[in-house]
Amino acid sequence: MDRFSNGREQLKEEEDSLALDIAEENANMEIHPPIVSSYNDHIRPLLDAVDKLRLLNVTKEGIQLPTIVVVGDQSSGKSSVLESLAGINLPRGLGICTRVPLVMRLKHHPTPIPELFLEFNGKTVHTDEAYVADAINLATNEIAGDGKGISNTPLTLVVKKSGVPDLTMIDLPGITRVPVHGQPENIYEQIAGIIMEYIRPEESIILNVLSATVDFSTCESIRMSQQVDKNGKRTLAVVTKSDKAPEGLLEKVTADDVNIGLGYVCVRNRIGDESYEEARKEEAKLFNTHPLLSRIDKSMVGIPVLAKKLTQIQATIIARCLPDIVRKINEKLNASILELKRIPKTLSSSAEAMTAFMGIFGSAKETLRKILIRGEYDEYLNDYHMHCIARLVEMLNQYSCELHNCLESDPRGNFLMEEIHVLQESRGIELPNFLPRSAFLTILRKKVEGISSVPVNFIEKVWSYIENVLVSVLMRHSENYRQLQLSTRRAGHNLISKMKEQSISWVTEIVQMEKVTAYTCNPEYMSEWKKLMDKENTFRNILENRMSKGVIEGIGEVEVGNLRAYNQNVLHLAFDLKMRMTAYWKIVLRRLVDSVALHFQFSVQNLVNKKMENEIFSELISSHGGAIERMLEESPSVAVKREKLNMSIKLLGESKKVLGNIMDRIATYDNK
Ligand SMILES: Nc1nc2c(ncn2[C@@H]2O[C@H](COP(=O)(O)OP(=O)(O)OP(=O)(O)O)[C@@H](O)[C@H]2O)c(=O)[nH]1
């Protein structure tokens, strides 16, 4: 079992004992104010810790806190319920009163003089019971403006008073469909947005305030809570204004048409100028004596019952969520520290800048060596585009296929016609059985011309691929320095364009050489030619047997019908010329593939090992007068990232400190 599970079990036992305490206390409970907190000593520090985390705004880091969120339609009586729980007066009335999320922290406090203060916008404003309503209104105006607009910036009200339950709740603006005068048109969307943000997390308990005077199923707050808590397992209903609509209330709360998993508590809040004490007395009288309301089970009525239920639920969710919160804070803190370490530190001198530059350049070079020369792609396991050797081999195979598939100028239907024509045009005043060299070169020139664009296109394609790889590696390694990125990108493009130009002129020359000269020392030429010449008898047989076409091994099917018009000598020379060319063409194509492959390997090695360094260094020196430190000025996005990480680390560190004791407690449970 993990350490958290152990901790959870221990906390669960505490919860159970707390529940027993509460039940016992409920039995002896006096209905007179103040509501005496039965808060378990074990849970109180945990609630304090959660409140501190809330104040630190740890939710900003994506860590949700266990929270009781009060929602209700406008004027359903939310503020009245909260003031009943706190024993103070809150702004109440018709129209929109709660315009910002109000975090209410109620804390039992042994001394008779209550202590009240507001925390908002980073300041603390002390107040007292008589002025708290005004102070809240003033603070709300400061946060959300004087009008009727709303804001998502929370306002915290701390009430330390003898006898109040140790509870933290968040009161949210009441849901209104129709904007009242002075409210923005999209007030519903704004309020709904805030409410959803607070009630969506699984860690939130939804305290749904429903007025007894309405049909619960028509309440917007019910519709919203059902969207995030379908079965109502984290929803508790408080039914206000029981005094106003006692008829059928018992049936309504027992029928539970709207799926309230945590149950209903019917209350009667303060009316008019009643004092808090009077209100509690009236409430107790109402539920004890009213013919209809007195029939509702006593475990479902009255503010004291609500207070007990809430403290119990609060204890449960805190105990359930805290181990996870501790874990998440640790995880996020470690992740942020790691990420911060990955961001290079700010450079303060030329020497530091130079060292950093050399480091960046060295690592970029090593990456390029790996992917372009050695074929190691561990840095780009899932990025196939960067598995360069494999991609280059693919391109080379494709290039070879393209060269071999280029249509021959002599389609089979016209077998030997081109040779005969070229031989006729190359005739010299000479003996008739000589094969003129010029005839061979003429055919060779036409064939080479036919494929001449293929090697050039291939060279261009490969260089643009290498350019892409080079620039992306350089960008990756200099990602923290925008100026350096600009220079290295420029250097990369310039270098590739120079090398591409050289390659193209090299390959154009190679093609030109193949076009105007013919030579090979490769013995395959002779053996292939001989093999093909052995098939001349087959050719003759096809002619003599008056067949229109036939198959010659090594050449394929040929049509010979129109060749019978020529004499034997011409046909022999044409056949010979064709077979020499066939044997030689294989050598030419192989040469074009092999030499281009060698050229690329050599060029890439040159690029990575020599030229890149020269180009980048001269780009840095020439365009920026050697001001390498300026090149390595941190980009604004990195500065922002560092600032954000530092803030996260500070916040998470403080949160961790807040939870220090609790973690120790969990650890002690583990060792027990
Ligand atoms: N009779 C009676 N009136 C109540 C009760 N609870 C609240 N009210 C009255 O209902 C009105 C609205 O109550 P509020 O507490 O301001 O309602 P709210 O939901 O906080 O209002 P908004 O913040 O504006 O949404 C006030 O005039 C209260 O006095 C109750 O139990 N009985």
Side-chain angles (χ1 to χ4, degrees), residues 293-312:
L293 297 178
S294 61
R295 286 168 49 211
I296 305 176
D297 194 286
K298 292 291 169 283
S299 66
M300 289 171 75
V301 295
I303 289 292
V305 166
L306 177 64
K308 302 295 172 193
K309 269 204 168 195
L310 286 175
T311 46
Q312 192 180 347

Side-chain angles (χ1 to χ4, degrees), residues 47-61:
L47 175 62
D48 283 346
V50 172
D51 283 334
K52 276 185 200 148
L53 293 183
R54 198 183 315 279
L55 207 61
L56 284 171
N57 203 2
V58 77
T59 32
K60 216 169 61 186
E61 295 298 321

Side-chain angles (χ1 to χ4, degrees), residues 462-653:
V462 174
W463 275 119
S464 26
Y465 171 71
I466 294 175
E467 181 169 25
N468 196 297
V469 168
L470 174 75
V471 171
S472 104
V473 168
L474 291 173
M475 292 307 96
R476 176 165 79 82
H477 285 276
S478 55
E479 66 187 344
N480 293 313
Y481 305 102
R482 209 177 130 53
Q483 288 301 323
L484 185 65
Q485 276 196 329
L486 293 177
S487 295
T488 47
R489 185 197 295 273
R490 208 164 29 233
H493 288 309
N494 286 345
L495 177 58
I496 296 288
S497 112
K498 276 188 235 165
M499 293 192 75
K500 182 153 108 184
E501 214 172 285
Q502 281 168 13
S503 280
I504 289 177
S505 74
W506 170 82
V507 84
T508 314
E509 197 169 308
I510 295 277
V511 172
Q512 190 64 15
M513 266 159 32
E514 294 292 359
K515 201 155 99 179
V516 299
T517 61
Y519 174 75
T520 183
C521 64
N522 189 335
E524 264 183 43
Y525 166 67
M526 285 305 289
S527 60
E528 180 74 16
W529 172 69
K530 275 190 196 133
K531 225 162 58 193
L532 289 165
M533 286 308 285
D534 286 348
K535 304 291 176 274
E536 195 175 1
N537 280 340
T538 319
F539 170 58
R540 278 187 208 290
N541 285 342
I542 299 169
L543 281 179
E544 278 161 16
N545 290 339
R546 306 245 144 233
M547 289 152 73
S548 64
K549 50 183 158 183
V551 175
I552 300 174
E553 202 188 319
I555 300 290
E557 188 175 81
V558 292
E559 268 194 41
V560 295
N562 48 357
L563 293 180
R564 291 196 182 90
Y566 298 94
N567 72 40
Q568 289 296 321
N569 192 33
V570 170
L571 288 176
H572 168 71
L573 283 183
F575 189 87
D576 188 356
L577 181 55
K578 171 88 182 166
M579 297 313 142
R580 279 169 206 253
M581 186 53 70
T582 308
Y584 185 60
W585 191 240
K586 282 188 184 166
I587 306 276
V588 170
L589 293 186
R590 207 171 297 157
R591 217 157 36 200
L592 283 176
V593 175
D594 287 354
S595 55
V596 164
L598 291 179
H599 170 79
F600 265 114
Q601 289 193 63
F602 180 66
S603 302
V604 165
Q605 287 190 13
N606 246 341
L607 164 84
V608 177
N609 291 334
K610 270 210 307 258
K611 301 207 169 178
M612 183 177 79
E613 194 161 324
N614 294 345
E615 190 73 32
I616 291 181
F617 275 72
S618 60
E619 167 70 33
L620 286 185
I621 289 162
S622 69
S623 55
H624 295 274
I628 221 149
E629 55 274 47
R630 232 177 54 225
M631 304 280 352
L632 293 179
E633 261 169 24
E634 196 167 77
S635 65
S637 65
V638 175
V640 168
K641 195 169 161 190
R642 176 184 287 113
E643 172 78 13
K644 239 175 99 182
L645 281 171
N646 273 327
M647 273 162 63
S648 286
I649 291 170
K650 185 165 173 267
L651 195 157
L652 292 164

